[in-house]
Amino acid sequence: MTTFDSALHPHRRFNPLTGEWLLVSPQRALRPWQGQQEAPDRSTRPAYDPTCYLCPGNTRANGEVNPPYEGTFVFDNDFAALQPEVPAGSIDVGGLLRAEPESGVGRVICFSPRHDLTLPEMDAAAIRGVVDVWAEEFATLGARPDINYVQIFENKGQVMGCSNPHPHGQIWAQRTVPGDPAKETVQQAAYFQQHGRTLLSDYLELELREQTRVVLENGHFVVLVPFWAAWPFETLLLPRRAVQDVTQLSGPERDALADALRRLTIRYDNLFQTSFPYSAGLHQRPTDGQAHESWHLHMHFFPPLLRSATVRKFMVGYELLANPQRDITPEYAAQRLRELPEVHYKQLTEAVPTTR
Ligand code: H2U
Ligand code: ZN
């Protein structure tokens, strides 16, 4: 028997942020792939769409009129999943039928007045404006006594259930700390207690030494494909300095975050020469009044595409019933992303060379 090689042999990997495992089957990536090579998506949209409910000056579903905004624009979601006032009460039948009211706030953030742009097509200064809005919203919502967790995220692309191509994100802020951030809170606290450093500081140091999963770096941020990535081209964006939330980032750090976001999303679009769909979001400390010194702010990108602009990874059978599974290794995914240029393919006349 030869020795174990994680690039060749089936194995499981541990996600220290959640305490869960996933299955990696690199031998399956060697299956023959005779998929179509799709033409680059060069479709365009108008800079202003009179039927878009997010464009400046337009009327939303609830009758409100958007201001003629020039940078970002934030409003309360007209169809929010969470509401600030919910009557008290609870259900507990034998510990098996349990329910309790949940209150909170839903916000929508327009990243730009331009209907035709997405993050990778915006300039760094405009993306910095988005980062500043995240910080303002986190500060205001997090300060409320009825809000203990603020989830900032973006759904991009129709396959991710995004309802409108106008560049925008959302915030759901609520009374309790939901599942994944709660797991990350427990895991990071346990690590900090044992090592006196944040889990992600030590993890980052290790990744910078190995370099095999790093996609890009700047002075303050690093983007990498985490060792435990579940989605084919999943990435983790993290600051070199352990901060608990986005309000603690200095001006230069916020610029660096904007730079990292821009460069990552350009690489993503270039990967399959399409507007690359994903769900992405910030994970930050709960706003429950505790110190949370063990928390290390980070951002997850969960993109579904696997082979091309149309061939995606499905998290189905085994993944739904057992745990996540992936075929191509995180190391291979990182290498693919590293090889791509940081100029958007729509700005190049020549097609971006893709390697297989
Ligand atoms: P998504 O495309 O990521 O679903 O976000 C759009 C959000 O915008 C969605 O949550 C809200 C929807 O409820 N919305 C409004 O608040 N007002 C509108 O006029 C239409 C959509
Ligand atoms: Zn629009």
Side-chain angles (χ1 to χ4, degrees), residues 46-56 58 69 112-116 164-167:
Y48 167 76
D49 176 351
T51 68
C52 169
Y53 56 78
L54 298 178
C55 274
N58 289 0
Y69 65 97
S112 162
R114 288 272 301 270
H115 186 80
D116 57 335
N164 184 332
H166 193 111

Side-chain angles (χ1 to χ4, degrees), residues 14-32:
F14 180 65
N15 179 342
L17 273 177
T18 59
E20 290 163 359
W21 292 80
L22 74 136
L23 181 64
V24 186
S25 317
Q27 78 286 1
R28 292 183 85 209
L30 304 173
R31 283 176 301 172

Side-chain angles (χ1 to χ4, degrees), residues 169-208:
Q170 292 194 46
I171 303 176
W172 295 20
Q174 67 193 97
R175 184 181 62 87
T176 63
V177 184
D180 280 8
K183 284 179 210 159
E184 292 190 356
T185 302
V186 170
Q187 293 292 116
Q188 292 184 100
Y191 190 94
F192 194 85
Q193 206 169 18
Q194 209 182 340
H195 302 271
R197 285 165 55 86
T198 72
L199 188 160
L200 288 177
S201 296
D202 281 354
Y203 175 62
L204 182 58
E205 202 175 287
L206 223 141
E207 287 290 5
L208 290 174

